[in-house]
Structures are given as structure tokens and as C-alpha cells.
Amino acid sequence: MPRQSRQAQVCATAALLFRDYGYSTATMDQLAAQVGLTKGALYYYYPSKSAILFDLLSTQLDAALELVDRVPADGTAGERMRELVRLQVDRASHSHDEILVFFQELPWAEKHLQAEQAADLRARIRKYEDFNRQLLASGVRSGEFRPMEVGMVMSSIVGILAYLPAWSRGFTGRARAALVGELTDFVMHSIAAAPACGPVAPDQAAFQAGPRLPAPEPAVNA
């Protein structure tokens, strides 16, 4: 197997181990056994366990920023946000172990990685977050999106992406396409500005008024 392909296999297998055991508990011995290499041969592909973790986290951030770059520069804020959400949901529905490990281990980056590696990851995260915040704020200013706490909403969308791989495993074909469409609509409806109130249809007026109490019966004279 070519070196590059074997390195990708090592990284993918490490993602599975980190997912199941956590980075701190998973060992290079386990990884070597899973990929059928000696521990010494494993170090030919990665000099340390932390190097694998950095590769995993870095790859996910590069992928997220690549999706940001694919969002058209023109169009309304709503159109651009919809495309960004769609791209991210689609990717999250495909990359299961890697994305789960990303959100599981990122909070401990400063503990497990070299300082310059952690700083590099945080800089790329800020670039991603800045784009999302600016896009959401642009939609609020244009009236396409409802007034919101932009940072909170952005974190909520990221939370959906973080949890998606845990339950979408096994979705293929039409089911995955439906998932992408439904979640994209869900996010966009949650941030859309409320439509202007118009005249209420008679049946809607009755519904909004709620059930009517029965009229009191006339008193009967003794």
C-alpha cells in the first residue's frame, strides 16, 4: 500500500480509537495492532500520538474553511447562509468518526498538543467563526434574519453539526439527501425574520381565539 494511503488508514483508524476510548486512553500499541503494523513502523507515519491528533483536528478545520470558500461571494445573506449550512450538514453526514473526535478532543487541544499547534488551530477556528458571525449579522441588518445574539446562534448551529454524526450513521442515498434538506430548512427557519402580519383568514381567527364557552342557558321561572 502506498505510504500516503497507509497514512490515511492510520489516521482513520486512530479516529475510531479516539472516538471509542478517548485520546488520553487510546494507545499507539492498540493503533499498531489495528492497522497491522509494528509500533516502530507506525512511527514512520507519525512521530507521536499527538501528531495524529493534530492531523485529525487540522484536517477537519481545513475542510470547514474549504466549505466557507465555496460559499458564493454574491447573493443575499439568506442565500449564502443556506448554502453554507447545506454544505456543512452534507459533510457532517459523511464524516462520522473524524467529526466526532474533532468536537470531543478540541477542548483539550492546549493540553495534548504543542503550544504552536494549538494556537494554529485556534486561529483557523476564529477565521471560521468570524465568517459565520459576519454572515449572520449581515442577514439581521438586511431584515432577512430575526434579531438575534449572533454568537449564541452560531454556536447552536455548530452544536447541530457536532451531534449529527452520532445519529446519522447509516444514512445513504435518498435518506441522506432528505436529512440534508430537512436540517438545512430547520436551521434557516429558525433564523428567518418573522413574516409581516397580514389579515387573518376566518378559520385561523377561530383557531387563534380558542374554544368558546357555551352560552348560559336561560333561567327557568318556577
Side-chain angles (χ1 to χ4, degrees):
M1 184 181 291
R3 183 180 189 278
Q4 186 175 5
S5 298
R6 200 63 192 265
Q7 187 167 9
Q9 180 194 15
V10 170
C11 199
T13 305
L16 190 151
L17 288 173
F18 294 169
R19 181 202 71 187
D20 290 344
Y21 298 98
Y23 171 81
S24 296
T25 304
T27 68
M28 294 293 271
D29 287 321
Q30 287 176 307
L31 180 55
Q34 288 286 330
V35 296
L37 292 170
T38 66
K39 192 173 179 180
L42 186 60
Y43 285 112
Y44 171 72
Y45 297 99
Y46 286 101
S48 64
K49 188 172 71 165
S50 66
I52 302 175
L53 179 63
F54 178 71
D55 195 7
L56 281 167
L57 300 182
S58 185
T59 297
Q60 294 309 306
L61 279 174
D62 285 345
L65 290 174
E66 190 270 333
L67 297 183
V68 165
D69 289 339
R70 287 171 59 184
V71 175
D74 54 357
T76 67
E79 291 168 343
R80 298 176 71 215
M81 190 69 198
R82 173 174 285 276
E83 180 63 4
L84 177 59
V85 171
R86 186 192 68 79
L87 288 170
Q88 292 181 110
V89 171
D90 182 63
R91 186 170 193 285
S93 70
H94 286 78
S95 304
H96 297 98
D97 296 335
E98 293 82 356
I99 291 180
L100 285 170
V101 169
F102 177 84
F103 287 104
Q104 174 182 296
E105 301 298 339
L106 183 64
W108 314 106
E110 282 75 12
K111 176 181 178 181
H112 298 311
L113 300 177
Q114 298 174 13
E116 59 270 22
Q117 290 178 325
D120 175 59
L121 294 176
R122 297 298 178 189
R124 280 183 276 172
I125 290 171
R126 285 193 296 273
K127 183 177 179 181
Y128 168 84
E129 291 179 340
D130 287 346
F131 181 87
N132 278 265
R133 285 195 183 95
Q134 291 168 13
L135 189 51
L136 287 168
S138 175
V140 172
R141 288 193 300 270
S142 69
E144 294 175 81
F145 302 157
R146 61 177 176 78
M148 66 178 75
E149 208 322 295
V150 168
M152 188 180 299
V153 170
M154 180 196 68
S155 296
S156 299
I157 296 172
V158 171
I160 292 173
L161 297 172
Y163 191 60
L164 174 59
W167 61 266
S168 67
R169 191 182 301 273
F171 279 58
T172 59
R174 293 182 180 178
R176 179 179 288 145
L179 178 150
V180 173
E182 286 290 345
L183 275 185
T184 301
D185 285 345
F186 174 80
V187 170
M188 295 308 297
H189 288 322
S190 72
I191 64 176
C197 295
V200 179
D203 57 337
Q204 292 179 321
F207 175 79
Q208 292 175 4
R212 294 182 178 179
L213 296 175
E217 295 182 1
V220 177
N221 295 325

